Amino acid sequence: MWFSKPVPDVLQEMKVNADTGLSSAEAEKRTKQYGSNELLAKKKRTVLQVFAAQLNDWLIYVLFAAVFITFLMGEYIDAAIIVVVIILNAVIGVFQEIKAGNAIEALMKISSPKALVKRDGFTREVDSADLVPGDLVFLEAGRIIPADLRLTETANLQIDESALTGESVPETKEAHTVFTDPKTPIGDRTNMAFMSSLVTFGRGAGVVTAIGMQTELGHIAHLIEPGKGRKTPMELRLNELGKLLGKSAAGICIFIFVISYFQGRDPAEMFLTAVSLAVASIPEGLAAIVAVVLSVGVTAMSKKNAIIRRLPAVETLGSVNVICSDKTGTLTQNKMTVTQVFASACFTDLEDEKQEFAEAVRFLTTGMILCSDATLENGEQTGDPTEVALLMLADEIGLNRTEIASSYKRISEKAFDSDRKRMSVLVADENQQHFVFAKGALASLFEISTKFLIDGEILPLTDEEKKKFSAAAKEMSDHSLRTLALAYKPVTTDSSPENLETDLILVGMVGMSDPARAEVKPSIQQAKEAGIRTVMITGDHKNTAFSIARDLDIAQDFSEVLTGSEIDALTEEEFLEKVNYINVFARVSPQHKVKIVRTLKAKGNVVSMTGDGVNDAPSLTAADIGVAMGITGTDVAKGAADMILTDDDFSTIVKAIEEGRNIYGNIKKSVIFLLTCNLGEVLAMVPALLMGWSSPLIATQLLWINLITDSLPAIALGMDKGDKEVMKEAPRSLQESFFSRGAGLMTVSGGLFIGFITTFAFWYGHYEFGWSPFGTNVPEEVLGNARTLAFMVLIAAQLWFSLGLRSFRKPLYKTAVFSNRYLTGAIILGFALQLMVLLIPVMREAFRLQLPDLKGWMIIVVLGLLPLVMLEIYKTLFMKK
């Protein structure tokens, strides 16, 4: 009953020092004692269960029926081959599912939430799973509560506990409240914070009282039904395509069976052939291959600092044509350094090593660090980079931050919010004199200041003086400096909270530089070549924003810059008309960001949006691709995003778009290959049977083809290396199908040609021995030769054809032919297995094949290569654009 105990008693019982936190050794000891701070995950399926799930398919049931029938007919070898094919198909499916599952699991670990704790006297960020009872945890707006906490400190702290209590209104917390009633409901325990709830406002700290399954959430975790993984739009479309093709194939097979019956063929043999053709012609592996390619792709992206949280984002990435990016930390290095100070009507240049710092500068800096929640200890820092820069300023001018922290005690605060554009703190010094310090945008402090400080004297803040401050701010902005102002006032202990931000005394301001990242400008140019426009969104002044945008080649003219107030002055229609011509938005609020995104989308753009704060969540959700910052981003922003940048770098977004395009391209290759092969198999069988010929391929041969030439090369194409020229193409439309840009014609023509040459090989196998497939009583030796040639040509054609699909545009000689080792391996393995079937007598007998003569081998080699040659000619003539 931690809520019924005062804070000192809780700390004592938990054996933790409020000033230093737990030691690392003690934390390790408690980890062994209490375990990890994780809810019990849903039990993973065993390999055997995954294998059994692969057999739970109507196509497999049909094949088992075929096994049963062939066994009754005494065709034991055929039955054994079908069983082997079923098992091998299931093994490939198990491999795909486990690989995809492991990839997604690894990503979940990478993107797990962090917690800000104090250990060994230092504040540091750790994985929330590493928390132990007794840890001191710091809370701020946007953080998700990592465990159950007894609050020890609160400053206007509000927490959204709707996930636990159902109460939609955030709960105001008070650390020093104590409840004596042991039956106090969870929703009324205002001195507690519970795992998975969300800090919406203010700041606080607490000691961990329960972790994992011992938390209030853990008590109900077993009641929570695990949600099923969502399929991507691409997977859903492919599932629908698979069902349509399946129904078509089933219809064709029934038709063939009926026709064959009236033609007087052996019903049992034709049943097996029809079933095998259905299995071979239905691309049942499509969805599984897409899942593997997606999971492998997003794992590769995570290694490049882009964590995909929602798989549909991969599909959307290839269509992005506008990137809306924050300036600070994304386009710039996020290494804020104060280079100028304006106080007592004078500029102080901090880059001048001989500079002596006036008392006004020291007082300004003292006020700034009292308004800071960041930490900087032994080179390790936490918090907003802007506030870290203020701590570094204090060190640079020789202030003792430890002494200041011990001399002033923070009584209360009004946290920063995007509407006020400032934060205020109420502090008391050693003599119990109270002061209010407020830091924020200069315009925001103008609203609450009536005086200003100059050379130790307090004078009225007239319009003339405001102009001087504004001119100083503009001069800093013109040099690409970000400005932050400070105001203060002494107050009495009985001052009401409403009066804390009134009649303040303006002290001065600092100018901070944040250099652009070296890799950003080339990335913006690369995006431009790929048909992607970069839009900079910042809270900085118009001049600062344009100065950096011009350096980065985002904007060339001042007319391309629009401020938040200018947006407000425009009608919806005017803004809609103008939005495609604006490349820089300055002094904007989160509400403006949402409006910008929605208006860009209304103009037909596919928009990516970056954000890091609590208030950025709506714009991240509104965008087609929401991108959260992994370093400075709050848990709320990360939760709303589709993608997280672990390095907060703009160039990572461009790399992710490139990777997304390549992943989509690889999936398209696999899909086109599978459908071309399936169509070729159907067209090799159906016309021959309709003409009254013997079946060009028997059931076991069709199933072997389905296993060897369909699955392995399709998976290998999905693992292809990225096309280096993919970023020279225009963004793909979200409505674009797999069959656009000539791919549909390629599929149909490829399938027709493979079907034709297979049929020709079957005919030639008869002709070579002086027979015709139209004849009756064809000897088994002749039919065996014809089927051998058809079988070998079909497999060779499909294996070689896969090599040409590595690029839809570039001829094979312009690609590094063997750079995809997976595809090279699949082709070599395919031919090796085929030769094994042909050359080993037992296997040859099982598949009813014959050793071809020299002419037969020439037919196999020449016809097998023809589809690849025709594909290369097709690409050269029609796909160059």
Side-chain angles (χ1 to χ4, degrees), residues 45 117 181 209 216 224 240 251 289 318 322 324 355 377 462 465 528 569 579 627 651 680 682 696 761:
R45 291 194 299 175
V117 302
D181 183 359
T209 56
E216 292 294 338
I224 301 171
E240 290 303 313
I289 287 169
V322 176
C324 293
Q355 178 73 51
E377 295 158 343
T462 62
E465 296 300 332
K528 195 177 288 185
V579 72
V627 182
S651 60
V682 171

Side-chain angles (χ1 to χ4, degrees), residues 6 47 111 326 410 413 418 544 875:
V47 174
S111 58
D326 270 341
R410 188 181 293 190
E413 67 181 73
S418 54
T544 309
K875 286 194 289 187

Side-chain angles (χ1 to χ4, degrees), residues 530-603:
I532 302 168
R533 182 163 66 102
T534 302
V535 174
M536 189 172 89
I537 298 180
T538 177
D540 282 345
H541 287 285
K542 199 172 184 177
N543 292 31
T544 309
F546 176 66
S547 177
I548 292 176
R550 184 178 51 200
D551 291 343
L552 292 174
D553 220 12
I554 293 174
Q556 302 302 322
D557 192 87
F558 205 67
S559 62
E560 297 172 48
V561 186
L562 203 66
T563 64
S565 57
E566 288 169 342
I567 293 174
D568 294 334
L570 296 173
T571 64
E572 295 287 337
E573 293 74 19
E574 288 171 337
F575 188 47
L576 188 66
E577 187 65 33
K578 202 168 187 176
V579 72
N580 270 349
Y581 304 101
I582 302 300
N583 292 320
V584 181
F585 292 95
R587 304 303 285 170
V588 294
S589 68
Q591 290 76 20
H592 289 130
K593 288 185 180 182
V594 174
K595 186 173 182 178
I596 292 164
V597 169
R598 287 178 178 165
T599 308
L600 282 167
K601 287 175 70 176
K603 291 290 282 186

Side-chain angles (χ1 to χ4, degrees), residues 176-199:
H176 296 288
T177 303
V178 176
F179 298 94
T180 55
D181 183 359
K183 294 182 179 180
T184 303
I186 290 175
D188 294 338
R189 300 175 194 172
T190 56
N191 59 3
M192 298 287 293
F194 302 104
M195 186 181 201
S196 85
S197 50
L198 170 68
V199 181

Side-chain angles (χ1 to χ4, degrees), residues 72 318 346 348-349 446 467 505 526 584 630 660 665 704 769 877 881:
L72 290 179
C346 292
T348 302
D349 190 348
F446 276 160
K467 286 179 183 177
I505 304 160
Q526 185 186 12
V584 181
W704 181 257
F769 285 88
L877 294 178
K881 291 182 182 179

Side-chain angles (χ1 to χ4, degrees), residues 45 50 54 88-104 284-296 670 674 710-716 719:
R45 291 194 299 175
V50 175
Q54 297 297 321
L88 286 174
N89 261 319
V91 167
I92 291 172
V94 169
F95 166 78
Q96 289 173 330
E97 184 167 331
I98 290 175
K99 190 171 183 68
N102 289 344
I104 299 302
E284 69 277 3
L286 271 183
I289 287 169
V290 168
V292 169
V293 175
L294 280 173
S295 60
V296 169
S670 297
L674 278 174
D710 285 7
S711 299
L712 298 179
I715 295 170
M719 313 277 275

Side-chain angles (χ1 to χ4, degrees), residues 765-781:
H766 288 80
Y767 173 79
E768 188 181 8
F769 285 88
W771 286 83
S772 167
F774 289 101
T776 56
N777 301 317
V778 177
E780 280 298 320
E781 182 187 356

